[in-house]
Amino acid sequence: MRHQNGIKHMSLFYSKDCSPYLIGHADVGYLSDPHKARSQIGYVFICGGTAISWRYTKQSIVATSSNYAEIIVVHEASRECVWLRSMINLIREKCGVKYDNLHTILCRDNSAYIAHLKGGFINGDRTKHILSKLFCIHEIQKNDDINVQQIRSTDNVTDLFTKSSSITTFKKMLHKIEMQRSRMFSLGELIRIVLFFPYEVLSH
């Protein structure tokens, strides 16, 4: 409730002067529900500097280790990423916008997971029991669609969903996804937005 009260007067701000590239963040709260042995997963995708897709949910299966939970959250985030890339590219093609089909950076703050991804997952007793479909990220990265990179935990915006943060860190994360305090528009401003904004965007 405190979280909801803190952002109820805020909204996402989308600017026309911004980077067009898609960047993802993913994180997991291992065994955040100890009674049912479930972990919480979350991911956020940012395009143009503003969040366009996010999810925070409880894992449907029991992860027997934090490494297992990490593999699940990256699998879920990579599926969303592939869909977003296809949708964004389709919109650009339909609108006649030229673009470079560069890979999408997926940010993680777990060095052990990054090492597993580079060295191959199924290489020991710790991962051989995990469903093979959860390792599809390995092939997606080989195809240069996604590039999983390590970042500092303090820079992972998914902590908004998976961890308790100080007020300073919370505000920093809100700024990273371009969530700003909403302002009231006058009647004249609203008419201009509704009538003329679509034409201004198309003209650029």
Side-chain angles (χ1 to χ4, degrees), residues 28 30-31 36-39 59-72 125-131 134:
V28 61
Y30 180 58
L31 289 184
K36 295 184 178 180
R38 294 291 196 275
S39 302
Q59 289 182 342
S60 59
I61 60 177
V62 176
T64 55
S65 66
S66 59
N67 186 43
Y68 193 175
E70 293 280 348
I71 291 171
I72 294 173
D125 293 337
R126 296 184 62 185
T127 56
K128 68 180 184 181
H129 64 287
I130 299 175
L131 293 173
L134 298 178

Side-chain angles (χ1 to χ4, degrees), residues 22-46:
L22 182 67
I23 299 175
H25 294 253
D27 199 15
V28 61
Y30 180 58
L31 289 184
S32 53
D33 183 356
H35 303 291
K36 295 184 178 180
R38 294 291 196 275
S39 302
Q40 297 282 356
I41 64 172
Y43 58 73
V44 178
F45 284 94
I46 298 171

Side-chain angles (χ1 to χ4, degrees), residues 118-203:
K118 290 180 178 179
F121 287 104
I122 308 176
N123 57 3
D125 293 337
R126 296 184 62 185
T127 56
K128 68 180 184 181
H129 64 287
I130 299 175
L131 293 173
S132 57
K133 72 173 185 177
L134 298 178
F135 299 126
C136 69
I137 180 62
H138 198 79
E139 293 300 318
I140 295 174
Q141 182 157 272
K142 276 186 178 180
N143 294 335
D144 204 31
D145 291 328
I146 296 176
N147 184 10
V148 182
Q149 295 185 8
Q150 184 177 357
I151 59 170
R152 295 180 300 176
S153 181
T154 53
D155 293 327
N156 194 337
V157 298
T158 323
D159 285 357
L160 276 170
F161 307 119
T162 59
K163 293 181 176 65
S164 298
S165 305
S166 64
I167 294 177
T168 303
T169 303
F170 182 70
K171 289 182 177 179
K172 175 185 174 183
M173 297 303 175
L174 291 180
H175 177 72
K176 281 181 175 289
I177 63 172
E178 282 295 336
M179 180 169 273
Q180 304 177 10
R181 185 168 293 278
S182 304
R183 71 182 185 91
M184 299 298 292
F185 291 97
S186 66
L187 180 59
E189 287 177 316
L190 287 174
I191 292 173
R192 178 182 177 275
I193 291 170
V194 173
L195 295 180
F196 300 108
F197 180 73
Y199 301 100
E200 292 177 358
V201 171
L202 289 174
S203 65

Side-chain angles (χ1 to χ4, degrees), residues 21 77 89 190:
Y21 300 112
N89 291 342
L190 287 174

Side-chain angles (χ1 to χ4, degrees), residues 101-120:
N101 193 23
L102 302 176
H103 60 245
T104 298
I105 295 175
L106 182 59
C107 302
R108 289 293 301 111
D109 56 12
N110 187 290
S111 57
Y113 177 84
I114 301 295
H116 273 130
L117 183 59
K118 290 180 178 179

